[in-house]
Amino acid sequence: SYAVPVHICIIAPPTLKINYAQPYVILSWSPTNAVLQQSLLLTGPWQSVTNATTPYGFIPNATNKSMFFRVNINSDVICIGP
C-alpha cells in the first residue's frame, strides 16, 4: 500500500476593523500578513492596496468616499509544506 502525505491548514478568517479619528479613517486587520484590497463596487473587481500595512489611514475625499475594503489571505503563503 502507498500513503500520500497530506498537509491540512486550518486558517481563521481575517478580521478588518474600521475606526474614525477625524479626519482619518483608520483600517487595521489581523493577521498582519493579510493583504488589504479595495474596490469601487462591493462586487469588485478588487485590487490590492500597494504598500498597505496595518494600521492604514486615509482621509476620505470625493474620489474614495464610496470605497469598499476587505482583507484577503493567500493560503499559499501561510501553508508551507514540510
Side-chain angles (χ1 to χ4, degrees):
S1 92
Y2 179 74
V4 176
V6 175
H7 246 9
I8 298 175
C9 293
I10 300 172
I11 302 169
T15 58
L16 175 64
K17 294 181 183 178
I18 304 169
N19 292 302
Y20 183 63
Q22 193 173 9
Y24 296 95
V25 173
I26 309 292
L27 306 174
S28 55
W29 57 90
S30 177
T32 56
N33 66 337
V35 176
L36 180 66
Q37 296 181 321
Q38 66 184 12
S39 176
L40 292 172
L41 302 171
L42 186 57
T43 56
W46 293 91
Q47 296 179 336
S48 296
V49 179
T50 305
N51 298 322
T53 58
T54 185
Y56 175 79
F58 66 94
I59 298 174
N61 59 42
T63 303
N64 63 16
K65 69 180 181 178
S66 296
M67 188 72 67
F68 294 94
F69 291 92
R70 71 178 185 184
V71 287
N72 195 14
I73 295 179
N74 181 348
S75 62
D76 293 339
V77 173
I78 295 174
C79 297
I80 300 173

